[in-house]
Amino acid sequence: MTMLAITIESISQTLSSWVWSPALVVLCLCSALYFSIRTRFVQVRRFGEMAKLLFYTDKTQKTGISSFQAFAIALSGRVGTGNIVGVATAIGYGGPGAIVWMWIIAFLGAGSAFVEATLAQIYKEDHKGQFRGGPSYYIEKGLRCKWLAVLFAVCSLIACGLLLPPVQSNGIAIAFANSVHVAPVYVGVAVAGVLGLVIIGGVTRIAKVAQIVAPFMALLYIILAIVVLICNYSVIPSVLSDMLKGAVGTHEIFGGIIGSTIAWGVKRGIYSNEAGQGTGPIVAGAAKVSHPVKQGLVQAFSVYVDTLLVCTATAVMIMAVKTYNVMDANTGEVLFASSYNLGAPDVSYTATAIGTLLGADLGNIIVAVALAFFAFTTIMAYYYYAETSLVYLFGNGRKEHAAIWVLRICILVAVIFGSVKEARVAWNVGDIGVGAMAWINIIVILLLSPQALRTLKDYERQQKEGREPEFNPRKLDIRNADFWNDSTKD
């Protein structure tokens, strides 16, 4: 490793540790708990309605995409490398108990996802025949804080356009290098080429690809995990025991790293399900619904699908076959070593688990293909997030059009770059981007939560009255909800 590479890794790791300080972990957990309590655990009370609303679309609105397309894009952003490599990393540095903390942040985080998605719908705009929304829009209109809105847009543009795509392409490149021995740079170029064909078509083409690929691949992957678990059914009790004991620090081997268990579980959970991060509401604002709460419920449901289903599928495969090592992230001490001669946490943990049933070569290929689809659709979602932030910054005119093309070139270059860099560097820079956005967005939605809570009460009141809920911000004393104010004028 060259001196420059060592310096880059050291700097990225230091910045990541600063951004992901214990304070952010506590903030994520406490805010998620707060939203859950204030909404009276809407993610539980309205669970059936969440699934039903997936297929709802307000046909009176000609602009925007359907609720299911918005769900699919959000699911694409959530189901990616974090579900395969991220879960392996959480187990490798936090032990089996980290998965329980991923569940906790997903369950509570669904409340955060509901609030931020509802706010995105309240303050969305109609921009050139498309809805645009997200943190920058509700910061400017809800908080009336332009500089902070610009700061978030810049952070999300850099993170989603430059920092996060390399994490996904890195996972794809490693998987194909291990399975079919293709040089990473060729994988990166191929991914960039296909991605270019999709993103040129804008949100419409992204939505069409996402609504087919993301749910289909997630379902197949979950079925595969069930097969692995059935074949190893006898170890289920011990797996659950390791997870629960590790989560509370009473495991005989992993009890000494309880701090890392919580931190890695929360960090990888947020990276995977994006609840509170601020990217989910960007796509939530693009949907056409008759009331903001409807899309809030849909986005909360996508958090469940990501973590409680797909991440759990990866975890049970790895832990059932014990294809993982656990090491202290601070000291490097190996606490548990698998008998499969594995190294640091990466895609090989999952591939080896599948390979115990289907053979090593086929296991590697299956994981490579699954990861390619998951990560590719995630990069598509990242592009849309970055494009929306760019549109917010540049507005109308020639500058916007030119800037979009510059963004497209940058994200394609970032994909190729990520495929040839080390996984640790890619994950570090990705964590910096996620953490920076989460810091801003969580504080903002805490401040704006009264608007979301009033909107939820309005929605439930209209339902009790036997009416199809429609949103009128004037009646709720919500200002600057320009789209809804225009649509409710006599």
Side-chain angles (χ1 to χ4, degrees):
M1 183 181 292
T2 66
M3 183 62 68
L4 177 60
I6 294 174
T7 302
I8 292 174
E9 179 176 342
S10 177
I11 292 174
S12 64
Q13 190 169 359
T14 299
L15 290 175
S16 177
S17 66
W18 288 351
V19 173
W20 278 100
S21 64
L24 181 55
V25 174
V26 172
L27 178 63
C28 291
L29 283 170
C30 291
S31 60
L33 178 61
Y34 171 77
F35 293 134
S36 297
I37 293 173
R38 288 301 308 275
T39 61
R40 293 179 296 122
F41 288 89
V42 68
Q43 66 266 49
V44 178
R45 294 189 298 109
R46 298 279 175 173
F47 182 81
E49 191 174 1
M50 289 179 186
K52 179 181 178 182
L53 288 172
L54 283 177
F55 306 100
Y56 168 84
T57 297
D58 185 4
K59 296 181 180 179
T60 64
Q61 297 181 29
K62 303 303 180 183
T63 300
I65 58 179
S66 69
S67 288
F68 184 76
Q69 288 177 323
F71 163 81
I73 296 177
L75 187 62
S76 297
R78 291 182 166 108
V79 177
T81 303
N83 297 83
I84 298 179
V85 183
V87 171
T89 307
I91 296 173
Y93 294 117
I99 302 304
V100 176
W101 284 99
M102 288 184 74
W103 291 344
I104 292 171
I105 195 62
F107 172 70
L108 297 177
S112 301
F114 169 80
V115 170
E116 63 183 359
T118 300
L119 289 170
Q121 273 289 324
I122 291 173
Y123 295 107
K124 69 181 180 182
E125 289 184 357
D126 187 341
H127 179 80
K128 294 183 179 180
Q130 295 182 20
F131 288 140
R132 298 284 186 178
S136 292
Y137 292 88
Y138 54 67
I139 291 172
E140 179 181 348
K141 295 183 177 184
L143 286 184
R144 300 182 185 180
C145 190
K146 179 72 173 180
W147 70 266
L148 187 59
V150 170
L151 178 61
F152 182 90
V154 171
C155 286
S156 60
L157 179 59
I158 294 174
C160 297
L162 296 176
L163 299 183
L164 294 174
V167 174
Q168 305 297 326
S169 60
N170 180 268
I172 299 174
I174 291 175
F176 275 95
N178 292 339
S179 61
V180 292
H181 308 294
V182 178
V185 65
Y186 296 135
V187 176
V189 170
V191 172
V194 179
L195 177 67
L197 295 175
V198 175
I199 64 178
I200 287 175
V203 66
T204 302
R205 187 175 299 175
I206 292 173
K208 288 180 179 179
V209 173
Q211 72 178 354
I212 296 173
V213 176
F216 179 71
M217 284 304 301
L219 180 61
L220 285 184
Y221 190 71
I222 292 167
I223 292 173
L224 178 62
I226 292 172
V227 172
V228 172
L229 200 57
I230 290 174
C231 294
N232 295 274
Y233 69 92
S234 62
V235 302
I236 293 177
S238 63
V239 167
L240 292 175
S241 176
D242 286 346
M243 292 169 65
L244 294 175
K245 288 181 179 179
V248 297
T250 60
H251 195 282
E252 59 272 16
I253 298 177
F254 312 120
I257 58 169
I258 181 62
S260 292
T261 299
I262 298 173
W264 280 96
V266 173
K267 180 163 62 173
R268 285 290 165 256
I270 292 175
Y271 187 92
S272 178
N273 63 50
E274 300 184 0
Q277 177 183 315
T279 50
I282 293 177
V283 67
K288 46 186 175 182
V289 291
S290 63
H291 198 285
V293 166
K294 291 182 176 180
Q295 198 58 33
L297 292 172
V298 169
Q299 293 305 310
F301 187 77
S302 66
V303 173
Y304 285 158
V305 174
D306 168 83
T307 305
L308 300 185
L309 293 181
V310 183
C311 284
T312 300
T314 299
V316 297
M317 284 193 287
I318 291 174
M319 288 188 288
V321 193
K322 292 190 180 299
T323 54
Y324 65 91
N325 298 333
V326 179
M327 59 186 70
D328 190 316
N330 298 317
T331 66
E333 177 188 0
V334 177
L335 304 176
F336 172 81
S338 170
S339 61
Y340 289 90
N341 194 29
L342 299 169
D346 62 18
V347 70
S348 64
Y349 285 20
T350 311
T352 304
I354 297 175
T356 60
L357 290 182
L358 305 176
D361 291 340
L362 186 55
N364 284 328
I365 292 173
I366 289 175
V367 171
V369 172
L371 189 58
F373 278 103
F374 285 167
F376 180 79
T377 53
T378 297
I379 299 172
M380 288 193 318
Y382 286 160
Y383 168 76
Y384 179 71
Y385 302 154
E387 183 188 277
T388 298
S389 295
L390 187 146
V391 167
Y392 172 81
L393 292 171
F394 285 90
N396 296 311
R398 295 180 179 179
K399 289 184 178 180
E400 176 192 328
H401 183 72
I404 287 176
W405 276 101
V406 171
L407 171 63
R408 289 170 178 169
I409 294 172
C410 286
I411 199 169
L412 296 179
V413 171
V415 166
I416 298 173
F417 171 81
S419 67
V420 298
K421 297 304 294 182
E422 288 190 21
R424 193 172 185 86
V425 175
W427 276 106
N428 283 338
V429 295
D431 283 341
I432 293 169
V434 172
M437 289 189 293
W439 267 111
I440 298 173
N441 186 63
I442 291 175
I443 292 173
V444 167
I445 61 177
L446 280 168
L447 295 173
L448 291 176
S449 59
Q451 285 90 316
L453 295 173
R454 289 203 301 272
T455 304
L456 175 60
K457 286 184 178 179
D458 172 67
Y459 179 81
E460 294 182 331
R461 176 184 56 79
Q462 292 188 57
Q463 281 193 326
K464 287 181 180 178
E465 294 172 353
R467 296 190 288 139
E468 176 64 27
E470 294 184 352
F471 184 58
N472 187 334
R474 293 189 188 87
K475 294 181 178 179
L476 304 178
D477 193 27
I478 296 178
R479 301 178 181 180
N480 299 322
D482 300 328
F483 167 78
W484 299 98
N485 285 331
D486 292 341
S487 66
T488 56
K489 287 179 179 177
D490 292 333

